[in-house]
Amino acid sequence: AGKYKHCFALDAPACAASPLCSWGEQSQGECGVNELHLLQTLAGPKLSKNPIIQAALQAVTCQKFNEQSCSLHHTCAWVTMEGASMCDVAPAIAVKTVIRYPQVVIDLPRATMDAVCRA
C-alpha cells in the first residue's frame, strides 16, 4: 500500500498520468488512491472471481458515475441511502449475488472486521 502514498501530493495532471492515482477519489479537488486498482492489487488473481471482491469492484466502478451516466450501465442504479444519493450496484444485481452466494451475507461482516483488525 506504500506505493500509493505519492498520490496525495500530486496535482491534477500528474494524478491523471498515474494509474495508481485518481483525482477526487477520496476527497473532491485532490488526488487520491485509485480504489479500483488498489482493490484489484490486494485481491490478486487468485481472489479476483470471489463474489465479495466482484461486488466491491462493481460498487467502486458504479460510484464513479454521476446521475446521468449511472443509468447507462446496467449493473448500476441511482439510489438514495441515509439522505445521500449516489450511483451504486443495482439492487437487483445485489439480490442476485446474495441468492447465488448466500455465504456472502456471512462473509462480508467477517471480512470487514478482519480488515479493521489489521488496520
Side-chain angles (χ1 to χ4, degrees):
K3 66 181 179 179
Y4 295 91
K5 276 199 259 185
H6 76 282
C7 296
F8 299 104
L10 299 179
D11 60 14
C15 186
S18 174
L20 302 179
C21 308
S22 181
W23 192 258
E25 193 85 13
Q26 284 80 42
S27 183
Q28 197 170 28
E30 294 180 12
C31 188
V33 173
N34 179 331
E35 293 174 356
L36 194 58
H37 187 279
L38 176 63
L39 189 54
Q40 289 170 326
T41 300
L42 292 173
K46 186 175 179 181
L47 294 176
S48 66
K49 299 298 181 196
N50 179 288
I52 293 174
I53 299 299
Q54 288 296 307
L57 290 171
Q58 186 59 49
V60 169
T61 299
C62 290
Q63 290 166 6
K64 294 181 183 294
F65 302 125
N66 61 29
E67 188 171 3
Q68 291 74 33
S69 60
C70 183
S71 62
L72 300 174
H73 302 272
H74 74 281
T75 57
C76 303
W78 194 254
V79 296
T80 301
M81 292 184 288
E82 298 178 13
S85 296
M86 62 187 268
C87 188
D88 202 358
V89 177
I93 301 292
V95 169
K96 284 179 187 176
T97 300
V98 170
I99 291 170
R100 188 168 179 198
Y101 304 102
Q103 189 66 31
V104 167
V105 177
I106 296 165
D107 289 345
L108 193 54
R110 187 179 302 151
T112 303
M113 288 304 295
D114 286 350
V116 169
C117 290
R118 289 187 187 129

